[in-house]
Amino acid sequence: MTDVRPVPAASVATWDHEADVVVAGYGVAGAAAAVEAAGAGADVLVLERAGAWGGAAALAGGFIYMGGGTGLQKACGFDDSAENMAAFLDAAMGPGADRERIADYAEGSVAHFEWLVACGVPFKPEFFGEPGWEPLGDQGLMYSGGEDAYPFNTVAKPAPRGHVPQMQNKKQGQASAGFMLMKPLVQRATDLGVRALYDVRVQSLVVESDGRVVGITARQYGTDITVRARRGVVLGTGSFAFNESMMARFTPRIAGRPISAVEQHDGHGIRMAQALGADLAHTDATEVAFVVDPQQLVRGILVNARGQRYVAEDTYPGRAGQHTLYYQDDTAFLILDEQAQEEALASQTPKLILRKPKWVCETVAELEAEMGLPTGSLQDTVARYNEGAARGEDPVLHKKARWLRPIGSPVGALDLRHATGGFPLGGLRTTLHAQVLHVSGEPIPGLYAAGRCTAGLAAWGYASGISLGDGSFYGRRAGRSAARA
Amino acid sequence: MTDVRPVPAASVATWDHEADVVVAGYGVAGAAAAVEAAGAGADVLVLERAGAWGGAAALAGGFIYMGGGTGLQKACGFDDSAENMAAFLDAAMGPGADRERIADYAEGSVAHFEWLVACGVPFKPEFFGEPGWEPLGDQGLMYSGGEDAYPFNTVAKPAPRGHVPQMQNKKQGQASAGFMLMKPLVQRATDLGVRALYDVRVQSLVVESDGRVVGITARQYGTDITVRARRGVVLGTGSFAFNESMMARFTPRIAGRPISAVEQHDGHGIRMAQALGADLAHTDATEVAFVVDPQQLVRGILVNARGQRYVAEDTYPGRAGQHTLYYQDDTAFLILDEQAQEEALASQTPKLILRKPKWVCETVAELEAEMGLPTGSLQDTVARYNEGAARGEDPVLHKKARWLRPIGSPVGALDLRHATGGFPLGGLRTTLHAQVLHVSGEPIPGLYAAGRCTAGLAAWGYASGISLGDGSFYGRRAGRSAARA
């Protein structure tokens, strides 16, 4: 394990590199920070551990959570406001979500969208309205957090806020619209004179005796290097998804099952700052991925080990996964009849992605017995569901009428036990200006952070696009704050 | 907010007090540390913020979780082993529980019991076998973690491990057997020459340039004082239950509802150590109290907002509370018929503690309608429960046959919405020798901790007695480690 202890500035004899603002990590937070710092006139150097820019962002589906009436929302015919967006996020980001941050983020969202467009990020003004984890084509807008599902559709006016950069020649099942976010941002940074060093693994923060962060040490090709930051250091080093010890201590329920993270996400950036007394927040919170296609999910009923329904099947599938992992001991079964399975197969979803039922029977009673569920439990659940569905209602979980149809025969069940994974959402506690907070409550001078090495908008809840969203939004803040310092 | 930053030893001109081992906090961890450090020949000074010793421990019900075949278990006719105890704790302390710590604790449990007895802590060799949060009389032993309930009774051989110090002249409903733990421990410490200063609020750790902790600064009656620790500092300062910011960031679900904590539990000790780069663990985990009497709980069925059962009603009531708070959005109703309510009233439980039903009806259908539950939901649940109960079975949740009886008429429901509270279980990461770990993975020289300022045995799960248990057990380790340093 590399040491994370701070290095006294007095012990640094020579600086191998120097810049006004030094950014650790060339993912979405680092790229946004670099563009803004350079735009504010700072000389910027980015240190990236991998051999190329991109981070987890470049491999991501590419949702950026924005709203409040962006140009794309308007072009697709949706009304939204900052207040409406904040009302949704307050409800959906979970107990402990930071309302002040949510209000700040919603308030700045339209301008953030315009900034991305000005940086050259392309968005096609077309809405994708089918169930799915992301658009199947190159559509630019989609519901990505269950905004139109219960209970959120009773809290705020539904508006889609998942903004997806447009990919040329996208192939079915290919998920890297995030590349089309990163490419223009890095191009823009380069145009502004931002320099980057690759294969550089940051080690420790360099600190003056008064506590100010003035540089960073790193290893490059086996050699120790020192990098001076005249104005500030920005951490954009990602989460601790690949740090086994931290995952076991903070997010045991997804330990060993990191999803949508890259190996560089080993928590080192977080620990370097903790070694200076930096505070943490929401360390327990995780995003949850659920390995099932929404085309099946919306057409079935999701039950637990007691044969009970527990979440509206047409909500954000990550939320269904979260309820399964946290509230149902990672045990779920999706009950769907032959017609539902055929409809899902007839959708545009790639056939390979759709799961096959593990059990298929003529009657629900037989299915319940084969699955080993308590006698009568599934029969009761299906009978009540069918009773409501026949009149277009779901009194228990309020699934939308569009997806209500009595379950017929033959009937099958997908085995969704241990079909979850995810990445941690907790990390460094920061101000709205992306200053890293010490446990004393004061900012650590010269140290800024954004992206998944920080606690962002989400606490217990999540929506797709929140990480690229708060990473880019507060990455920009970090770059501006550091350039001004 | 008082600053928590470390003070350089070079800046301390004079020491107002000095000892080999300085203990912050005179609760259970501090008292156990003081006894052991003094017993090992160290000169010990305890700094207590309140006007007297005791901490949360002296106000607690007094369970100490011990087993593996203690003298008390044997005297009450129960078999147990360290392996059996560890098997239960591995299952019950939740995802992320530290198996190495559990094994260590179980291994040393019989000797720990004998040490407490040798210190003068009295235990009456009598088992209390009725439902309740604690014994109604002065009995010394009780199930305190659902050891005899599903699913734990399938994982390990049931053995009661809640050891309760005997109180003289205990009055009904009075809950301070913890005083009978603290009084002998403090007496023993005093006999060994331990000194104590009261009304002393610790502020910052004093640190040598090489990182070793050599003292502590504090405020007493408005004056700053410095205290030198020749061998080590032991933190026994309790949890962050009364730190609003930490509760909001780490344990939002119990924020504003601290239970079984004292106001001194403001997280300051944790933050002082974090300021040195100390690591944290299980910051999200909480104990959960459930404001309902088990005499009612076991005789009813607990349902959620969808009219579904979700936890065996005869398990550890804290577990029922935990499932309610975390998995059912803090919403529960206890359905029980008139006969069940009368049986509970006929028990020895003080009448004042038993809740009255909010709704009472002749039929379940009427009750369901009055409560506003989805039509048919509660009717289905009760019908299936009654079907099983009639033949002495609970196929869904495996409540013990002793408590199974079909629910009759009239039937009522207790309103158990927002009937929970608790205290956080997360805190400083320590070794099994109670050394505080730096984020680098190395111990911080001279710094030890135990009790609820540390992450102990419990992660997601809990049993009554775990906090006084690991607080006293690792408090002793802290005292011995510091004395030896």
Side-chain angles (χ1 to χ4, degrees), chain A residues 1 3 5 249-250 253 271 279-280 282-284 306 308-309 326-327 376 380 384 439-440 460, chain B residues 1 3 5 249-250 252-253 271 279-280 282-284 306 308-309 326-327 376 380 384 439-440:
Chain A
M1 189 186 284
D3 200 359
R5 291 170 204 271
R249 279 182 282 131
F250 295 129
R253 283 198 145 117
R271 291 164 57 238
D279 212 349
L280 301 177
H282 304 319
T283 38
D284 60 315
R306 299 185 291 275
Q308 302 163 333
R309 288 177 73 212
Y326 285 103
Y327 307 157
D380 288 351
R384 290 291 170 193
V439 286
S440 68
W460 193 257
Chain B
M1 190 185 285
D3 200 358
R5 290 169 204 271
R249 277 182 284 131
F250 294 129
R253 283 197 145 118
R271 290 164 59 237
D279 212 350
L280 301 176
H282 303 319
T283 36
D284 58 316
R306 298 185 292 275
Q308 302 163 333
R309 287 178 74 212
Y326 285 104
Y327 306 158
D380 287 351
R384 289 289 171 195
V439 285
S440 68

Side-chain angles (χ1 to χ4, degrees), chain B residues 406-424:
Chain B
I407 293 171
S409 174
V411 59
L414 311 192
D415 185 355
L416 299 178
R417 287 176 289 191
H418 311 297
T420 58
F423 57 82

Side-chain angles (χ1 to χ4, degrees), chain A residues 149-152 290 297 300-304 308-324 327-328 332 334 385 394 396-399, chain B residues 306 308:
Chain A
Y150 188 83
F152 307 114
F290 197 26
L297 208 44
I301 61 170
L302 200 57
V303 301
N304 62 20
Q308 302 163 333
R309 288 177 73 212
Y310 56 89
V311 70
E313 294 83 1
D314 61 346
T315 190
Y316 170 49
R319 181 162 293 265
Q322 182 196 46
H323 281 230
T324 301
Y327 307 157
Q328 311 300 339
L334 185 69
Y385 177 77
D394 175 13
V396 177
L397 288 162
H398 310 281
K399 184 157 77 167
Chain B
R306 298 185 292 275
Q308 302 163 333

Side-chain angles (χ1 to χ4, degrees), chain B residues 196-247:
Chain B
L197 290 174
Y198 297 98
D199 298 302
V200 172
R201 184 187 283 250
V202 297
Q203 302 256 82
S204 293
L205 294 165
V206 181
V207 184
E208 285 288 0
S209 55
D210 65 359
R212 168 171 286 277
V213 174
V214 295
I216 202 162
T217 68
R219 282 184 75 82
Q220 186 180 32
Y221 308 123
T223 305
D224 291 323
I225 61 171
T226 56
V227 185
R228 183 178 170 203
R230 285 182 293 255
R231 300 191 199 168
V233 167
V234 175
L235 300 176
T237 47
S239 80
F240 56 85
F242 278 87
N243 183 309
E244 278 182 34
S245 165
M246 292 176 81
M247 287 283 271

Side-chain angles (χ1 to χ4, degrees), chain A residues 364-387:
Chain A
V364 173
E366 288 164 347
L367 183 66
E368 174 185 273
E370 283 216 13
M371 293 170 70
L373 297 177
T375 304
S377 61
L378 187 62
Q379 296 178 67
D380 288 351
T381 299
V382 172
R384 290 291 170 193
Y385 177 77
N386 284 356
E387 205 177 280

